Amino acid sequence: MTSTAQELHPAPVLAPGRTILELRGLEKRYPGTHALKPVNLAFKSGEIHAIVGENGAGKSTLIKLLTGVMPRTSGEVIWEGQPAALATPHEAMALGINAVHQEVVLCRHLTVAANMFLGEENSRFGILQQRAMVKDAQKIIDDLGFDLPAHVTLGDLTIGQQQLIAAARATVRGTKFLIFDEPTAYLTRKEADQLFTLIRRLKGEGVTIIYISHRMEEVFELADRVSVLRDGTLVGTRNIAETNDAELVKMMINRSIEQVYHKEHFTPGAPILEARNLSGKGFEDVSMTVRAGEIVGLYGLIGAGRSEFVTTLYGRHRKSAGQILWEGKEVQINSEHDAIKLGMALAPESRRDQGLCLNLSVGLNLNLPIYKRISNNLLISSAQEKTQADRQIADLRIKTPTRGALASSLSGGNQQKIVIGKWLAHGAKLFIFDEPTVGVDVGTKAEIYRLFGALLSKGAGIILISSYLPEVYELADTLHVFRRGKLVATHGFRAASHEDILTQALAEKQEKLGGQI
Amino acid sequence: MSTEAIAVEKPKRNYNVLFGLTLLALLVLLWIVLSVATPSFASGNNLANLLRQGSMIAIMAVGQTFVIITGGIDLSVGAVVGFATVVVAMMINAGFPIWLAILVTLLVGVAIGMFHGFGIVKMGLPPFIITLATLTSLRGIGLLMTNGNSININSDTFTAFSRNSFIGIPNLFWMVILVGIPAYVFLHHSRWGRYLFSVGSNAEASRLSGVNVQRTIYMAYTLSGLCAAFVGVLLAARIGIGNPTQAEGWELQAIASSVIGGTSLFGAVGSVHGPLLGAFILATINNGANLLNVNSFWQRIITGALIIIIVYFDGLRRRGK
Ligand SMILES: Nc1ncnc2c1ncn2[C@@H]1O[C@H](COP(=O)(O)OP(=O)(O)OP(=O)(O)O)[C@@H](O)[C@H]1O
Ligand SMILES: [Mg+2]
């Protein structure tokens, strides 16, 4: 099989506006969860159809059924007028249905090019044409306007970049129907814009697109129609021009939210942590102070060194220069253990790789940091183990049948809540939240921000990393902008405009003029 | 909320218990079939023998399971058993008190386990490699120490222990209980047990949650080494000699028992009762096959087939769950 850049986007045969895919009473039951109650919905060829809903509403489940990843319990899927079994991913792909899943499911140890052509390698007499594949892959990536190399190992890219590669991959195979499940969760604005350009271009070529997101502004920017799922039920479909933010949120969670970014201001207290000219792998000469009662936001592109900076504070990596002061005294933090003992807590960036033990129970994951506290010298208090876990499940409204369910069976947003929840039970003086609301729905986001307020009022400090500018913008008392491993600007609460901050994070103009980087 | 949670938690517990009961049922079924098939099976002598043989593998399998739960493997345990028989035999023959000889032997097991931990944690060697290396070199060291000869243990008190019974049950089987109960408490009711599971599931996430991953790995291999050395003491008492080539292939039996008992080689899944039952199922099959004069080559084939069947059905049910 040879695939070249020329035959990438064969023109879909359907005239726009016709129904290309129809769900008739589509239903999915997992043991213990009725994830999708019979759903009827028709997708028109060439439209961008957004699907929104709370965490655990059944969005990803719907996608898994359409792409043959999971078998359906009952119902029919009609593809171009014919019932389709969709029993395997292969069958879905053969029809032209592709998806970019919520979690990147590619081979991290292979190169970008190998991943792009996985399953359809270019080979001659059984020998892989590696050079040609890298060249083709690079052409596709350049074509799409992504600034990424094709010959590097996928695992060396950031999660956001991997997501772009996954998107590029999905466009390579004669796609007629393409599904994006929260594609922008790990993307910065710039990368998201590249992705939107790609999506619009595909739409122009007649591809039908399903777009799942928790970010309303993206839905309004991109979609033609939007459907809302709640608890596995389709509550309605609207033309985008005939609806608004408030109505969608109301449909999603059955109540209204006045204010997502709930910000309380406290008078900052004594410094908790101070970094002085700190350098390490991925960042250089960073100084900042976090005081009790304040949120320090770190904004920048993914790969700008923010996560490396905080993991170094947390003892995961060695610093190469500089000092760390804790409550005014210089400290040596040689391990995560040291950091936790001082009073730090880190909710890391990647829930799959760093945040969760996926094949263990929700309860164990939530209690992991506090087992020492809930056991005496020898035994764990099973009563405490239960109440602690149940409290976090209730407080964060983690949607799970029981605390004994495996973490892997939860929806993406609910998994994210565990990553945060385990540190709330533990408590700390300094909380570091690295992309805490990735994939979390609007209602819970509001809840989490309220929890931030509660932590601050108890005298804790927070470092908040986000690639989603509105989040840090609306919440951070002090906002630091990172670019290529350096802290390039600092602003007070809402002190600079979005445009200024974006420019500082990107700073392409200065670089082209031969700036200092 | 909480009542609801308790109500639905049951299936998971039930599943574990159910799997245990299935294994137990299989064991009982084997016993019934064998008692009918051959009169000699149900004789007191034979049953005691079976329990003795199964007990030693069972204790090794428990230690092995701790290691497998962390996502590792300990190939050295058979060699540790052989080496331990030499150590304990030499010390007893040299006139040390028995309790001291046993203590030192156990400490040797601990040291070997620590060495594995060191190789994995500090040198970054894969568990398979470091324990494979120990497997061959320990046999070599033992042969050097004994010049390739067996050492006859000249203490009757020591050897009598393995032949005696307490309220009708062989002492060796009591040793399974002696190891099994603390192991159960450790694995399911202490935080270190939780850490074994969490490290096996995701070491990085555990680390960032404040779990001392290195210490957890040290602990798993140390316990496995300790269990193996203990079995070495029991074996020396049973056969009355110290010989470094003893217990050849026992590591595979221990791994097989663990896997039959529901332990996942991918880590993060396992129990204590599972490997214990697994060990006795294996011992029963070997014993029965001997009595029925089944060719010993066939025994190996049957064991292999059994591993595939049990693990396959276990996997089916897990997925179905
Ligand atoms: N493999 C599984 N086994 C059991 N239950 C599952 C499994 N996958 C999903 N679920 C359950 O099905 C429900 C719907 O999950 P789904 O992943 O479709 O939600 P979602 O709408 O995509 O949420 P999110 O916005 O958090 O990604 C959830 O309650 C989830 O716990
Ligand atoms: Mg989802």
Side-chain angles (χ1 to χ4, degrees), chain B residues 60-304:
Chain B
M60 286 167 76
V62 168
Q64 184 73 249
T65 301
F66 292 156
V67 168
I68 297 180
I69 286 174
T70 68
I73 192 104
D74 189 348
L75 294 177
S76 75
V77 287
V80 174
V81 171
F83 187 69
T85 62
V86 173
V87 175
V88 78
M90 283 180 130
M91 286 196 63
I92 288 174
N93 286 1
F96 288 100
I98 290 177
W99 67 265
L100 186 62
I102 292 176
L103 186 69
V104 169
T105 311
L106 295 183
L107 288 178
V108 167
V110 167
I112 294 168
M114 302 271 278
F115 173 68
H116 292 151
F118 177 83
I120 292 161
V121 166
K122 299 286 181 209
M123 299 168 70
L125 297 174
F128 189 96
I129 300 300
I130 178 92
T131 57
L132 182 66
T134 320
L135 160 71
T136 71
S137 20
L138 264 189
R139 300 257 190 228
I141 297 172
L143 287 167
L144 277 180
M145 285 165 63
T146 58
N147 272 328
N149 302 321
S150 284
I151 305 168
N152 287 308
I153 298 174
N154 51 24
S155 158
D156 279 343
T157 8
F158 182 64
T159 49
F161 173 80
S162 67
R163 274 179 267 115
N164 291 343
S165 297
F166 176 66
I167 51 175
I169 293 171
N171 282 348
L172 287 187
F173 187 77
W174 285 111
M175 293 301 111
V176 175
I177 292 169
L178 185 79
V179 172
I181 290 174
Y184 172 81
V185 172
F186 172 81
L187 188 63
H188 293 295
H189 292 282
S190 84
R191 63 191 156 100
W192 300 288
R194 296 287 195 278
Y195 296 162
L196 289 180
F197 285 102
S198 81
V199 167
S201 176
N202 187 340
E204 180 69 17
S206 308
R207 207 180 149 156
L208 293 175
S209 300
V211 174
N212 192 330
V213 173
Q214 303 200 343
R215 201 190 323 168
T216 307
I217 288 174
Y218 267 108
M219 193 171 61
Y221 286 87
T222 305
L223 288 174
S224 179
L226 177 63
C227 284
F230 183 54
V231 171
V233 171
L234 299 181
L235 180 66
R238 179 142 193 251
I239 58 182
I241 56 170
N243 185 327
T245 59
Q246 280 297 323
E248 183 102 55
W250 282 22
E251 60 278 346
L252 294 183
Q253 292 205 41
I255 294 168
S257 306
S258 187
V259 168
I260 289 175
T263 315
S264 160
L265 286 173
F266 295 111
V269 178
S271 66
V272 168
H273 60 267
L276 294 182
L277 286 166
F280 286 104
I281 288 175
L282 276 187
T284 303
I285 289 174
N286 287 339
N287 177 283
N290 275 335
L291 296 179
L292 293 171
N293 282 327
V294 176
N295 185 325
S296 75
F297 302 158
W298 272 106
Q299 292 180 26
R300 293 174 182 234
I301 297 173
I302 292 170
T303 309

Side-chain angles (χ1 to χ4, degrees), chain A residues 314 336 359 380 403 422, chain B residues 9 189 194 201 207-209:
Chain A
Y314 195 65
E336 304 80 0
N359 59 352
I380 295 170
R403 81 183 92 78
K422 65 170 151 188
Chain B
E9 172 135 351
H189 292 282
R194 296 287 195 278
S201 176
R207 207 180 149 156
L208 293 175
S209 300

